[in-house]
Amino acid sequence: MLDLLLTDARVATMDPAVAGPFGAIEAGAVGVRGARIAYVGPAASAPPAKHVEFLGGRWATPALIDCHTHLVFAGNRAAEFDARQNGATYEEIARAGGGILSTVRATRAASLEDLVESAIARLEALRRGGVATVEIKSGYGLTSGDEEKMLIAAGEAARAVRMRVKRTLLALHALPPEYKSDRDAYVRLVCEDMIPRVARAGLADAVDVFCESVGFAHEETRAAFDAAAKHGLNVKLHAEQLSDMKGATLAASYGALSADHLEYIDEAGVAALAKAKTAAVLLPGAFYALKETTKPPVALFRKYGVAMALATDLNPGTSPMLSPTLAMSMGATLFGMTPEECLAGMTRHAARALGLVRECGVLKAGLAADIAVWPVDHPAELSYWIGHPGPDILYIAGAAVEEH
Ligand code: DI6
Ligand code: FE
């Protein structure tokens, strides 16, 4: 006996084992037992259930997964936006001590409670848009205590809104001002103190680095990745966002879960990602906000069979975007992805980017019952509307957390 049956549905399973676009099942049903999916298939052969929900032909999809955010932060950067609109570039602002560092000052000054409260509001916005699982990075604390504070806030906020969370230590995001004349000492602090401490306390699942000319170099990235491996953490990398630093190849050589941004990646980098089965996380919000013109090479990712994930990159500097479906629309319109690729990018491939392929990202028996029910006639509508407002119902681990 199932606990719940969603029936009279059209089901976009996104399961590659189900033939056809979107892995779709017409006249379908999804059955739930406890927190897991117990049945996906034709409505006609679904087992009995204690509770039956008739969807009237609406589409059920895997709940969305936002696999790259920096949503714990204090303050915002509207003044900097104003400066950029008046001609200043991101790099100029960063070099003048603004940019990331202005958010670092605000985040250091904020209490844990304040960070939790503002993060909850952002998580609720994503959840309204259909997101059940979110990745949250640190990177605005840049001291052991403040990075920990951010990761604790991320965990508490996600728990409060019942969302699944993966946390990532991004201590090599910017060089803190107090280490301006001694980069090596900061990298040592990260590798010898922060990474072991965060791993021991179970505060993060992965380590990320901003590998960029205004960020950190290869050797610094390697040091952090070596420390991550030593302490049992996965790795991810901000790579090729502003220039071709060959970061993706470096990330692939460490078996990274994902390499993210990738506007400037070359063919050798794409081949390296394919070989390592590292996901490419595309972030059209930052591309849009920075008015970039170099697009990630979607055709090459297709050619080499690299999993393309999509995410909001929600952050106060380069992607103040609270809508996962807007990221999908931008993935289609700005990057040329198909609607099916956009949905896969926020479900199955996002799960890969977080090491969650056995947990969520497709609708199939055995996985978490994270399901979104959309008031649409075709799954392409999720990226067709310029920021679809979100599902009618969102189930996370079998419980309805959004109902409109
Ligand atoms: N790349 C980005 O786009 C953001 N961080 C990063 O590594 C920018 C974060 C910020 O400007 O606050
Ligand atoms: Fe980012």
Side-chain angles (χ1 to χ4, degrees), residues 70 77 80 90 99-100 103 140 170 173 210 238 241 261 286 290 313 315-318:
H70 312 243
R77 304 241 287 280
E80 185 179 302
Y90 182 66
I100 293 174
T103 300
Y140 294 121
L170 177 58
H173 191 198
F210 187 35
H238 279 72
Q241 179 186 7
H261 287 288
L290 295 174
D313 196 16
N315 79 69
T318 60

Side-chain angles (χ1 to χ4, degrees), residues 114-376:
D114 290 343
L115 291 180
V116 171
E117 192 180 309
S118 58
I120 284 175
R122 294 171 198 134
L123 284 169
E124 284 175 336
L126 294 178
R127 210 181 69 171
R128 271 196 300 282
V131 174
T133 299
V134 67
E135 185 259 13
I136 305 176
K137 301 175 195 296
S138 68
Y140 294 121
L142 312 184
T143 68
S144 300
D146 289 305
E147 289 290 291
E148 270 181 29
K149 178 176 72 175
M150 288 188 68
L151 293 169
I152 292 168
E156 285 191 11
R159 195 166 332 112
V161 295
R162 299 164 71 185
M163 290 168 76
R164 206 181 297 287
V165 66
K166 285 284 189 183
R167 293 176 292 182
T168 302
L169 179 73
L170 177 58
L172 293 186
H173 191 198
L175 188 65
E178 59 278 16
Y179 283 91
K180 211 167 171 180
S181 54
D182 196 355
R183 301 179 65 86
D184 291 353
Y186 182 62
V187 176
R188 274 200 307 280
L189 176 75
V190 171
C191 296
E192 291 166 17
D193 184 62
M194 293 194 205
I195 289 175
R197 204 197 260 262
V198 156
R200 242 192 333 270
L203 286 173
D205 307 286
V207 167
D208 191 349
V209 174
F210 187 35
C211 182
E212 199 60 64
S213 61
V214 295
F216 293 87
H218 270 220
E219 314 81 76
E220 295 164 334
T221 304
R222 282 180 187 283
F225 281 7
D226 288 336
K230 185 166 157 207
H231 293 92
L233 298 175
N234 288 313
V235 299
K236 311 171 123 310
L237 192 65
H238 279 72
E240 276 76 91
Q241 179 186 7
L242 308 169
S243 62
D244 184 9
M245 299 259 298
K246 313 288 180 205
T249 300
L250 174 65
S253 76
Y254 278 82
L257 286 173
S258 68
D260 302 44
H261 287 288
L262 303 178
E263 279 83 348
Y264 288 86
I265 193 174
D266 65 5
E267 185 156 0
V270 176
L273 294 182
K275 189 142 175 273
K277 294 199 161 29
T278 296
V281 177
L282 307 186
L283 303 164
F287 172 90
Y288 166 85
L290 295 174
K291 305 185 188 81
E292 289 284 339
T293 51
T294 301
K295 301 182 185 206
V298 163
L300 281 180
F301 294 135
R302 286 186 191 126
K303 176 174 160 197
Y304 283 85
V306 174
M308 283 184 282
L310 263 178
T312 63
D313 196 16
L314 170 48
N315 79 69
T318 60
S319 192
M321 177 159 72
L322 294 160
S323 166
T325 48
L326 182 54
M328 290 169 65
S329 164
M330 289 176 170
T333 302
L334 300 178
F335 291 170
M337 295 167 73
T338 68
E340 186 177 4
E341 285 172 335
C342 292
L343 184 53
M346 282 222 133
T347 56
R348 183 171 82 242
H349 296 322
R352 168 174 294 280
L354 297 181
L356 286 173
V357 288
R358 300 219 166 132
E359 190 61 23
C360 54
V362 304
L363 295 180
K364 75 172 180 196
L367 298 201
D370 293 359
I371 308 160
V373 176
W374 302 84
V376 299

